[in-house]
Amino acid sequence: MMFELDSKLAADTFSIARLGLCDLRLMNDRRWPWLILVPQRPNICEIHEMTPLDQTMLTFEAGIAAQALKTVVDCEKINTAAIGNIVRQLHLHVIARNSGDPAWPGPVWGFGQREPYEEKEAKAFANAILKAI
């Protein structure tokens, strides 16, 4: 079976790059610098369903994404989570947070209305992330 990106993830994100394991994506919400890592493995919903090597690669790539995000936006905190209550396909959120941001100190999920990027702005941010990686 081939890997196929969940349609909701495809609709809500911009592609940045394909890493060794993950499809690295930018969440289309400019309120928070927010990356999504999607392991390119079919029918995986949970981290524990992955092979030990894939789990290690996911951790490694999450670290790379988090460091790139911190470098680009100079945030106070990086939140990392794999929740999957709405989109079952395994994906990891890597979100830059600062005290005083609109949802601080609570979670970003379900807070207010999404503010989409303009395409040019999303491409510039994605390029900055790629350079930082």
Side-chain angles (χ1 to χ4, degrees):
M1 184 168 238
M2 299 268 308
F3 168 78
E4 191 173 318
L5 183 64
D6 180 90
S7 60
K8 182 154 178 52
L9 285 175
D12 290 349
T13 61
F14 295 99
S15 179
I16 296 176
R18 293 225 170 174
L19 305 176
L21 172 69
C22 294
D23 184 3
L24 177 62
R25 307 187 67 83
L26 171 63
M27 180 61 90
N28 190 11
D29 189 342
R30 58 192 304 274
R31 295 175 298 165
W32 294 279
W34 185 343
L35 303 178
I36 302 283
L37 290 153
V38 186
Q40 297 174 71
R41 298 292 185 261
N43 301 321
I44 298 290
C45 296
E46 308 290 348
I47 293 171
H48 68 266
E49 296 172 344
M50 298 170 67
T51 66
L53 179 57
D54 282 352
Q55 290 177 31
T56 301
M57 283 297 294
L58 178 60
T59 301
F60 176 73
E61 291 178 5
I64 290 171
Q67 185 59 54
L69 191 57
K70 188 153 180 68
T71 297
V72 170
V73 301
D74 192 30
C75 59
E76 293 174 33
K77 180 80 175 86
I78 296 285
N79 290 169
T80 305
I83 298 180
N85 293 343
I86 295 172
V87 173
R88 295 295 174 151
Q89 181 175 52
L90 178 60
H91 59 288
L92 197 66
H93 300 264
V94 181
I95 309 166
R97 300 295 305 274
N98 287 295
S99 55
D101 75 32
W104 186 266
V108 299
W109 290 275
F111 183 88
Q113 293 295 316
R114 178 168 57 145
E115 296 176 18
Y117 284 99
E118 291 183 22
E119 188 173 342
K120 188 176 182 181
E121 184 183 16
K123 284 182 180 181
F125 189 78
N127 287 333
I129 293 293
L130 277 176
K131 278 185 174 182
I133 288 175

